[in-house]
Amino acid sequence: MADDLSFFSKDSFILKLPKKSPLVLRMVVLLFVMVCGVYIFSICLKQISTSSTSEFLNIGVIQKPCPEPNIEPWEIPYAHYPNPKTFSRAECACNPVRYFAIMSMQRSGSGWFETLLNNHTNISSNGEVFSVKVRRTNVSTIVETLDKVYNLDWFTSASKNECTAAVGLKWMLNQGLMQYHKEIVEYFNARGVSAIFLFRRNLLRRMISILANSYDQNAKLLNGTHKSHVHSPLEADILASYKPVINATLLVPNIREVEETTKKALEYFKSTRHIILYYEDVVKNRTKLAEVQEFLKVPKRELSSRQVKIHKGSLSKHIQNWNDVEKALNGTQYESYLYGDYRR
């Protein structure tokens, strides 16, 4: 009996507990693993789906094309849609922007002309950006600066931001423009930049303006302040009181040198889309401003400037050695410079 009981107990532990208990445990663990796997898979699937949908929506917003503008086919390379890094163009994002550069020489009326353009609600001309030498150190710095201007990320008092329809700058010929003309022409043609040439017909008047402005940089006639441009007749009269002495011997060669520089600039940039203006023509005929607005494809407006002309009237009262200058130019192709006049 004791042996039977002993046998029964041993059999119970060996045959029933060790075999059935691990099987149930394994099934429970397996079921738990399956449930966890399904749960984790479903979570991952949702995240992938959400991420894909989000990326799709984002790409859709960024790449959503603007409707084609109602313009002539030849104009398409000159209509741009900049995406500034510093602000959003908001509702004006699909308004095309034209790129331009006013190309001129010092004391040729470009400052006055630029104030006229900036008087337009939709035009931003950012001044002599390349008067700072570091910006024209080489082609790379020039391109970097131009990219910033044309991407609407260059901020000046002239910036119109969101609804700008034309953006540009004023660029003097001696500010790297002639030195790197090949690369700049390539940039203009590749980026669809239009050039506005502005020169003076009467180069004798320009010379007087240069000499007087140079003198005032040191003399500072206006209460110890140098001003290249003025906004009152009184200030203009004070600056005009200085009469420069012109080197009559070098006068004709200097005029010819300026003419040669002008011809070279026009030749270098002849492959670009451009318009040629003369200061005297804009002064006498304001329809020239309508032509410029048409050139830039902006709505036509009446444009005005607060600047006041400094050297008005006969040149004889603005040159100290007038007789020498008159003698040097009489009988030459530049004789008309002595007597030509216009008013602003």
Side-chain angles (χ1 to χ4, degrees), residues 6-264:
S6 176
F7 176 79
F8 177 79
S9 300
K10 184 178 180 181
D11 185 58
S12 298
F13 281 102
I14 294 174
L15 296 178
K16 292 181 181 179
L17 290 177
K19 285 194 175 185
K20 290 186 179 179
S21 236
L23 180 62
V24 173
L25 185 60
R26 286 184 187 132
M27 290 182 66
V28 170
V29 171
L30 180 62
L31 182 63
F32 178 75
V33 170
M34 289 177 64
V35 171
C36 288
V38 171
Y39 176 75
I40 292 171
F41 177 76
S42 65
I43 294 297
C44 292
L45 190 63
K46 286 181 181 180
Q47 288 182 343
I48 292 172
S49 176
T50 303
S51 177
S52 299
T53 304
S54 177
E55 287 179 9
F56 175 77
L57 290 174
N58 287 339
I59 291 172
V61 171
I62 294 172
Q63 296 183 348
K64 182 180 178 182
C66 290
E68 290 190 13
N70 185 24
I71 58 177
E72 297 292 329
W74 69 265
E75 294 181 60
I76 293 176
Y78 302 99
H80 310 282
Y81 300 91
N83 184 23
K85 297 178 181 178
T86 49
F87 69 94
S88 170
R89 295 190 69 210
E91 72 275 6
C92 296
C94 285
N95 287 9
V97 179
R98 268 70 177 186
Y99 301 160
F100 69 89
I102 303 169
M103 299 161 69
S104 187
M105 305 174 80
Q106 282 83 357
R107 312 311 295 178
S108 295
S110 60
W112 170 70
F113 178 75
E114 188 177 44
T115 62
L116 290 170
L117 293 189
N118 281 327
N119 188 239
H120 194 292
T121 309
N122 306 114
I123 300 178
S124 295
S125 188
N126 293 284
E128 287 185 41
V129 172
F130 291 105
S131 62
V132 179
K133 290 184 179 181
V134 69
R135 296 172 188 161
R136 61 177 197 264
T137 303
N138 51 50
V139 174
S140 297
T141 57
I142 289 174
V143 169
E144 182 182 348
T145 302
L146 290 175
D147 283 346
K148 196 171 182 180
V149 170
Y150 294 131
N151 201 48
L152 303 182
D153 286 318
W154 193 273
F155 292 106
T156 66
S157 59
S159 301
K160 304 295 194 305
N161 294 341
E162 292 91 344
C163 289
T164 295
V167 63
L169 68 156
K170 189 171 64 166
W171 202 343
M172 300 295 103
L173 299 187
N174 62 352
Q175 293 174 350
L177 198 54
M178 302 292 279
Q179 183 180 357
Y180 301 107
H181 64 90
K182 290 182 180 179
E183 294 84 356
I184 294 169
V185 166
E186 289 177 4
Y187 181 94
F188 279 17
N189 288 333
R191 295 294 308 275
V193 179
S194 300
I196 302 174
F197 286 103
L198 180 69
F199 300 117
R200 285 189 88 146
R201 293 189 184 278
N202 193 325
L203 298 180
L204 179 59
R205 281 191 176 272
R206 176 177 177 268
M207 188 175 293
I208 294 169
S209 182
I210 290 174
L211 293 173
N213 185 65
S214 178
Y215 171 79
D216 190 66
Q217 287 178 354
N218 295 317
K220 297 179 174 59
L221 299 177
L222 296 174
N223 296 322
T225 303
H226 168 63
K227 290 186 179 181
S228 296
H229 307 97
V230 295
H231 297 136
S232 76
L234 176 60
E235 290 179 325
D237 290 341
I238 292 173
L239 293 182
S241 64
Y242 169 71
K243 296 182 180 182
V245 174
I246 293 178
N247 188 324
T249 304
L250 297 178
L251 180 55
V252 171
N254 286 342
I255 290 175
R256 286 176 178 164
E257 184 180 355
V258 174
E259 286 183 330
E260 187 62 28
T261 301
T262 301
K263 289 178 183 178
K264 281 184 180 180

Side-chain angles (χ1 to χ4, degrees), residues 261-288:
T261 301
T262 301
K263 289 178 183 178
K264 281 184 180 180
L266 294 175
E267 178 65 24
Y268 289 160
F269 288 85
K270 66 181 181 181
S271 66
T272 64
R273 178 176 181 262
H274 64 270
I275 185 174
I276 303 172
L277 300 172
Y278 289 92
Y279 171 74
E280 292 85 348
D281 298 343
V282 178
V283 171
K284 291 178 181 178
N285 185 0
R286 287 304 182 91
T287 61
K288 290 292 180 181

Side-chain angles (χ1 to χ4, degrees), residues 311-327:
H311 298 97
K312 297 177 290 185
S314 174
L315 289 182
S316 60
K317 67 178 184 179
H318 295 299
I319 300 174
Q320 190 170 326
N321 59 330
W322 170 251
N323 291 334
D324 295 335
V325 170
E326 190 176 32
K327 183 178 179 180

